[in-house]
Amino acid sequence: MKIVKKATAGTLESGDVYVELSPSDSGNEIELQSAVLLQFGDAIRESAQDVLRQFEVENAKLKLIDQGALDCVIRARIETAVLRGKEA
Amino acid sequence: MSKVVKTLREAIELAGLKDGMTVSFHHHLRNGDFVLNMVMEQIAALGIKDLTVNASSLFDAHTPLLEHIKNHVVTKILTDYMSAGLGHEISRGVMEKPVEFRTHGGRPADIALGRTPIDVAFIAAPTADSEGNCTGKLGKSACGSLGYAFADAKYAKKTVIITDNLLDGTLSEPSISGEDVDYVVAVDAIGDPNGIVSGTTKITRDPVGLIMAQTAVKVIEASGLLRDGFSFQTGAGGASLAAAMYLKNVMLAKGVCGSFGLGGITGYMVDMLREGCFRSLLDVQCFDLKAVESIRDDPRHREISGARYASPWEKDAAVNDLDVVILGATEVDTDFNVNVHTDSNGFIMGGSGGHSDTAAGAKIAMIIAPIMRARLPIVTDRVGCISTPGSTIDVLVTQKGVAVNPARTDLRERLKAAGIPVRSIEELKQIAEKITGVPKKPPKGDRVVGEVYYRDGTLLDSIYNVPV
């Protein structure tokens, strides 16, 4: 899936994650800020890459501001951002 | 000879404060306190260095201390509680010597025993007379009880009272007697009334918190302790207050008349007193305006000292007569050890206060906590810091069930018989981890920045710096 416009999903509430997805021309790049970075940073990056792979997103900049969201929430927010930012 | 001196600076000089000495402060003005900062500013201006600060608690209002630490005016801190603003910097390693944490019972005990002698005590007093008799019950900065300052006034070599309501005549019912006071200083304001009664003194509306509170009260009912003469303490956290509200309803419905409510006192405990749930309140610190009014007007609402509240060496310490205490936790481990000192990343953000004192004394020490906060499970293999030993904790109440300390088989059987969902603490850990995943342990530094002393004076645990 090609990301053609900037898209966002989620909120900055505790237990949620705010996702910003924008087009790029140099592969995927993930920027992560998290309240639980030390405990779950690797797991969050892995899930993010997994969702991008699943939707065949290859050129996108993904910014995550995580407030301790559960894995299912993180995946759902990224999926929503992908569907909002893809070609019509 | 009058004890009244014109300026704080003069009082500090008259008290003979010199390099390397110890000064002390109490925390009844909480985050609204001006006194610690104004005293330390004068001390710094006088060029005095290498001081130890012994404060019953430190709040974010006291962050100017960081500047005095940097300039070596303050080189050692003793306290029972340190909020996150200061705690983060201590955890980053801004001080050479570790902060010594004590409990609200251990602090006055160590002061009385001479283990932590005080050279000059600076006592913020909402009302005082020229002899140094003072009280927290009157004045524009009224804070109610002055319980934690009693030991300071009694045992410090010199005691300075700082007040913003200096009476012309004599104070008729002082909390701290002028016989322990050397100097009295009048200032414009000792604190900000909004900060004095600030804090988490509102009942939670979070359904998870309410479920936990209801379960907590079922546990108390099932324990067999809820009978005439029942005694109780609860914290000022949202779920703890909700538990007090539900407990009040049960006590009134059953016609149970308790003996005393203890602790930091909130308006909810005052309501329980007024409606006949308790014969008295024993108050070491007031958390809100309603408590301040009550301790002033109602003789059943009594001010007690920190030692009378919780000292391990006091024969009639109130904690020893407690039936039930409800406490919070940032983490609990599978041995029931509780952490209230550090956050999930290892930064200092609290302290015992009376946590481990009441846990040791009460027949049932109950922790209320959700099984997870955001993505972090509350139950771990080993807490980041042992604030209260698991051997003194009897039961953990969560929204997914109740875990009873294996040493309390009697209690477990009672709760089961009452139909309360009892699980092992390992089970609660697994339930949370199934939802959150298993968290990695954040790395610890290699330098001790805090030492946690148990109420009997033994070293319970050490807090390490957070590598950043």
Side-chain angles (χ1 to χ4, degrees):
Chain A
M1 235 168 239
K2 192 170 156 69
I3 300 303
V4 295
K5 58 176 189 271
K6 188 174 154 181
T8 66
T11 69
L12 292 170
E13 297 289 318
S14 176
D16 201 350
V17 59
Y18 176 75
V19 176
E20 224 177 72
L21 188 68
S22 45
S24 163
D25 45 21
S26 53
N28 288 336
E29 184 193 334
I30 297 172
E31 183 191 331
L32 173 62
Q33 295 170 32
S34 174
V36 291
L37 192 70
L38 297 172
Q39 293 83 1
F40 291 107
D42 294 341
I44 295 168
R45 282 176 189 283
E46 226 167 272
S47 295
Q49 268 158 0
D50 198 37
V51 176
L52 295 181
R53 221 171 8 242
Q54 200 183 317
F55 286 91
E56 294 169 358
V57 174
E58 279 155 7
N59 285 300
K61 186 171 181 294
L62 178 64
K63 185 178 173 185
L64 303 171
I65 304 175
D66 170 50
Q67 307 285 6
L70 297 177
D71 188 60
C72 54
V73 175
I74 292 169
R75 287 172 180 269
R77 293 301 193 197
I78 298 172
E79 182 175 332
T80 304
V82 168
L83 297 175
R84 283 175 181 167
K86 74 180 170 72
E87 292 169 291
Chain B
M1 197 184 81
S2 173
K3 293 177 182 175
V4 178
V5 292
K6 281 208 176 63
T7 64
L8 199 47
R9 190 185 173 106
E10 205 182 328
I12 294 165
E13 287 176 318
L14 285 169
L17 189 69
K18 303 234 161 28
D19 290 1
M21 285 186 169
T22 296
V23 293
S24 84
F25 301 92
H26 71 90
H27 73 279
H28 296 91
L29 304 180
R30 293 152 59 82
N31 206 35
D33 176 48
F34 293 164
V35 167
L36 186 146
N37 291 340
M38 72 171 86
V39 170
M40 292 313 299
E41 200 180 305
Q42 289 301 319
I43 288 174
L46 285 164
I48 300 168
K49 302 266 184 192
D50 196 24
L51 292 178
T52 296
V53 169
N54 182 341
S56 52
S57 290
L58 291 167
F59 292 89
D60 286 350
H62 302 127
T63 38
L65 262 183
L66 291 169
E67 199 57 31
H68 302 308
I69 291 168
K70 217 170 80 186
N71 298 330
H72 303 283
V73 176
V74 175
T75 51
K76 179 96 190 167
I77 290 177
L78 320 180
T79 192
D80 307 342
Y81 175 98
M82 180 182 280
S83 64
L86 263 174
H88 268 231
E89 295 307 311
I90 297 297
S91 293
R92 288 197 175 100
V94 297
M95 275 194 106
E96 219 162 281
K97 295 181 197 164
V99 171
E100 289 182 15
F101 285 97
R102 282 180 177 73
T103 70
H104 281 340
R107 179 179 184 271
D110 279 354
I111 291 170
L113 290 171
R115 286 176 176 160
T116 54
I118 297 166
D119 292 296
V120 187
F122 293 93
I123 294 176
T127 291
D129 65 22
S130 60
E131 294 303 309
N133 299 299
C134 59
T135 178
K137 296 172 189 173
L138 306 166
K140 64 174 179 177
S141 305
C143 61
S145 179
L146 289 179
Y148 296 124
F150 284 36
D152 303 45
K154 192 169 173 190
Y155 295 103
K157 292 190 189 83
K158 298 283 178 187
T159 297
V160 179
I161 299 295
I162 296 140
T163 186
D164 54 8
N165 186 29
L166 183 59
L167 302 178
D168 286 331
T170 303
L171 179 63
S172 56
E173 287 178 29
S175 299
I176 289 171
S177 161
E179 67 193 47
D180 292 320
V181 174
D182 299 280
Y183 306 106
V184 178
V185 182
V187 297
D188 291 339
I190 59 169
D192 169 10
N194 294 321
I196 295 170
V197 291
S198 74
T200 49
T201 49
K202 277 213 171 68
I203 284 187
T204 184
R205 292 169 67 184
D206 170 24
V208 171
L210 294 176
I211 287 173
M212 293 191 301
Q214 281 170 347
T215 308
V217 172
K218 283 184 194 151
V219 169
I220 294 170
E221 280 188 87
S223 71
L225 295 170
L226 193 61
R227 68 241 172 307
D228 284 344
F230 174 73
S231 58
F232 178 65
Q233 176 170 343
T234 186
S240 310
L241 287 179
M245 182 183 71
Y246 291 130
L247 181 65
K248 183 180 84 179
N249 296 340
V250 171
M251 289 177 80
L252 292 177
K254 290 190 168 179
V256 173
C257 179
S259 52
F260 65 90
L262 178 65
I265 297 294
T266 63
Y268 300 99
M269 294 289 273
V270 171
D271 288 341
M272 291 178 86
L273 174 71
R274 286 180 185 164
E275 292 182 41
C277 296
F278 298 115
R279 285 197 298 275
S280 64
L281 295 180
L282 305 181
D283 187 340
V284 73
Q285 181 189 9
C286 297
F287 280 133
D288 55 29
L289 205 56
K290 197 166 183 180
V292 174
E293 285 165 2
S294 170
I295 200 171
R296 188 182 60 216
D297 300 332
D298 190 336
R300 298 172 300 172
H301 185 155
R302 285 162 47 204
E303 181 176 21
I304 58 168
S305 70
R308 165 85 170 84
Y309 168 47
S311 166
W313 316 125
E314 183 88 11
K315 279 199 194 74
D316 60 348
V319 294
N320 296 333
D321 293 324
L322 259 184
D323 284 322
V324 176
V325 63
I326 298 180
L327 298 164
T330 63
E331 286 177 307
V332 184
D333 67 29
T334 46
D335 293 325
F336 286 85
N337 295 308
V338 177
N339 179 9
V340 288
H341 277 90
T342 58
D343 69 15
S344 51
N345 292 320
F347 286 105
I348 294 165
M349 45 118 284
S352 269
H355 199 285
S356 54
D357 297 310
T358 51
K363 292 192 184 69
I364 292 183
M366 177 194 295
I367 303 293
I368 294 192
I371 56 160
M372 55 194 226
R373 289 199 177 94
R375 199 177 174 174
L376 294 168
I378 204 84
V379 183
T380 64
D381 288 328
R382 172 58 70 187
V383 287
C385 170
I386 299 178
S387 309
T388 297
S391 58
T392 62
I393 298 294
D394 300 292
V395 57
L396 166 64
V397 172
T398 76
Q399 75 273 39
K400 295 284 182 186
V402 173
V404 181
N405 189 320
R408 292 297 308 268
T409 45
D410 57 321
L411 183 60
R412 193 178 62 219
E413 292 317 311
R414 277 177 175 276
L415 300 191
K416 274 187 173 166
I420 291 165
V422 176
R423 298 175 189 274
S424 73
I425 196 160
E426 289 82 7
E427 254 180 290
L428 291 176
K429 177 170 177 277
Q430 284 157 12
I431 290 170
E433 287 181 351
K434 216 182 247 179
I435 302 168
T436 62
V438 180
K440 283 189 183 163
K441 287 263 173 217
K444 266 186 186 178
D446 51 12
R447 196 156 77 74
V448 174
V449 296
E451 291 172 334
V452 179
Y453 287 91
Y454 193 50
R455 55 202 302 261
D456 63 2
T458 56
L459 183 67
L460 192 57
D461 207 350
S462 295
I463 301 170
Y464 289 83
N465 69 303
V466 177
V468 278

